[in-house]
Amino acid sequence: MNAESTKCLIIGSGPAGYTAAIYASRANLSPILYEGLQPGGQLTITTEVENFPGYPDGVTGPELMEDLRKQAARFGADMRQGIVTEVNFDVYPLEATIDDGTVIKAESVIIATGASAKYLGISDEQKYNGLGVSACATCDGFFYRKKTVAVVGGGDTACEEALYLSNLAAKVYLIVRKDYLRASQVMQRRVFEKDNIEVLFNCNTVGLFGEEFVEGAHLVEFKGTDKERTFDIAIDGFFLAIGHKPNTDVFSKYINLDETGYIKLEGNTSATNVPGVFAAGDVADPRYRQAISAAGMGCRAALDAERFLASK
Ligand code: NDP
């Protein structure tokens, strides 16, 4: 077994992880950061990012993440490819096992493993990913000004995304698999009051079509009943809003999670229930889920880790 020690282990490489690495390196904590399954995180699958402060002309998601990574590297953060497969937070130093068998003994841990958007699981979602398929209206909605888009889902996120898009796009379909919305009453009312949102109840998406970019979706209404019928809608963008899954499985034995799996933070800090373990970004934030808010949380987690170590 290859064991190493560090003052600060950062797990995850989205805006939260890299920002934590910038702050922790500058505080002389010599952090080790494991990048995980998707180095750079969710932003590497978006195209243009126009709302991250400091980039007046916008920046692509991959470029932004590369800039953050370089900034962390400049201060000496040790960034590595690898996935944390197991942790032991019953011991101190805290332990994390990496997929290559390395065990890291850490005096502090920052969890920044993010959340993954849920997809329907149809192959066309992969085919048109970045070519009309998106799981983030705030990231990509702007590119659909005056166009027609569809949002899938019937929860608060779907309603929020549909409302956001309705202020940009000419027309928004909301594709809901049941005959009701699960969203809160207030969100439902807002959706129904919008002239350019059409709710398609009892509908499931079974495919997408288009030459290069999405040009439409194949839908089935009343699937599995005698009333079943298939029809197509013409759309330029297809937005998934059927929920996110926080990447917390590996920590769930030790870390307090809420009922949907997000890490619960202690008070107005980045601390978890385990002393020395902090969390930042989407893994602990079902509400805002923005690159800039995740980066802010990464900064806070590094400052909290530094203070925790100083107090010991
Ligand atoms: P939810 O789990 O609340 O809703 C998911 C929606 O997607 C449901 O309508 C569900 O349908 C639908 N869905 C799930 N899987 C599929 C599928 N395979 N095909 C078609 N439809 C599918 O997730 P949200 O992200 O909307 O919300 C998560 C939490 O965050 C909630 O507690 C929500 O209230 C909260 N939130 C609050 C906001 C606010 O207060 N402004 C904004 C955003 C989120 P079905 O109903 O049939 O299961």
Side-chain angles (χ1 to χ4, degrees), residues 118-121 125 152-161 175-184 186-187 190 203-205 240-244 259-260 262 286-287 289:
K118 291 188 198 158
Y119 282 77
L120 296 173
E125 287 170 321
V152 187
D156 279 319
T157 302
C159 289
E160 206 168 64
E161 305 266 89
I175 304 172
V176 183
R177 67 179 172 183
K178 293 208 175 119
D179 62 356
Y180 62 88
L181 291 171
R182 186 200 286 213
S184 53
V186 58
M187 295 300 275
R190 285 186 199 149
C203 284
N204 281 281
T205 312
L240 280 310
I242 59 172
H244 280 76
E259 60 287 348
T260 44
Y262 287 88
R287 191 178 180 87
R289 298 200 296 245

Side-chain angles (χ1 to χ4, degrees), residues 108-132:
S108 66
V109 172
I110 295 173
I111 301 173
T113 45
S116 307
K118 291 188 198 158
Y119 282 77
L120 296 173
I122 55 174
S123 59
D124 289 339
E125 287 170 321
Q126 299 302 324
K127 183 173 168 191
Y128 295 103
N129 207 353
L131 302 171

Side-chain angles (χ1 to χ4, degrees), residues 162-233:
L163 286 163
Y164 179 83
L165 289 165
S166 71
N167 292 325
L168 297 165
K171 160 122 193 169
V172 180
Y173 291 105
L174 184 59
I175 304 172
V176 183
R177 67 179 172 183
K178 293 208 175 119
D179 62 356
Y180 62 88
L181 291 171
R182 186 200 286 213
S184 53
Q185 289 300 323
V186 58
M187 295 300 275
Q188 294 195 28
R189 184 168 47 76
R190 285 186 199 149
V191 163
F192 292 132
E193 278 172 0
K194 269 277 177 172
D195 289 340
N196 63 341
I197 301 181
E198 182 179 346
V199 185
L200 301 174
F201 285 111
N202 301 303
C203 284
N204 281 281
T205 312
V206 288
L208 299 170
F209 58 89
E211 261 315 274
E212 188 184 349
F213 297 93
V214 167
E215 290 171 24
H218 302 298
L219 305 188
V220 179
E221 194 182 19
F222 297 115
K223 200 167 175 211
T225 72
D226 340 334
K227 288 193 280 180
E228 179 169 318
R229 73 168 182 116
T230 50
F231 65 103
D232 292 346
I233 52 170

Side-chain angles (χ1 to χ4, degrees), residues 7 9 89 92 94 106-111 271-278 304-305 308-309 312:
K7 287 201 183 96
L9 170 68
F89 292 161
Y92 194 85
L94 306 146
E107 291 172 48
S108 66
V109 172
I110 295 173
I111 301 173
T272 69
N273 58 302
V274 177
V277 180
F278 304 88
D304 285 340
F308 168 81
L309 293 170
K312 283 188 82 65

Side-chain angles (χ1 to χ4, degrees), residues 5-69:
S5 296
T6 181
K7 287 201 183 96
C8 181
L9 170 68
I10 300 168
I11 309 171
S13 59
Y18 285 146
T19 305
I22 294 168
Y23 274 76
S25 315
R26 295 188 80 247
N28 277 336
L29 301 187
S30 310
I32 295 175
L33 179 150
Y34 276 94
E35 293 186 320
L37 269 182
Q38 189 180 33
Q42 291 186 72
L43 273 187
T44 54
I45 54 163
T46 62
T47 43
E48 194 86 3
V49 179
E50 294 180 329
N51 53 9
F52 198 93
Y55 291 94
D57 300 320
V59 60
T60 68
E63 272 176 307
L64 171 59
M65 296 321 297
E66 191 48 37
D67 281 353
L68 287 175
R69 191 181 192 282

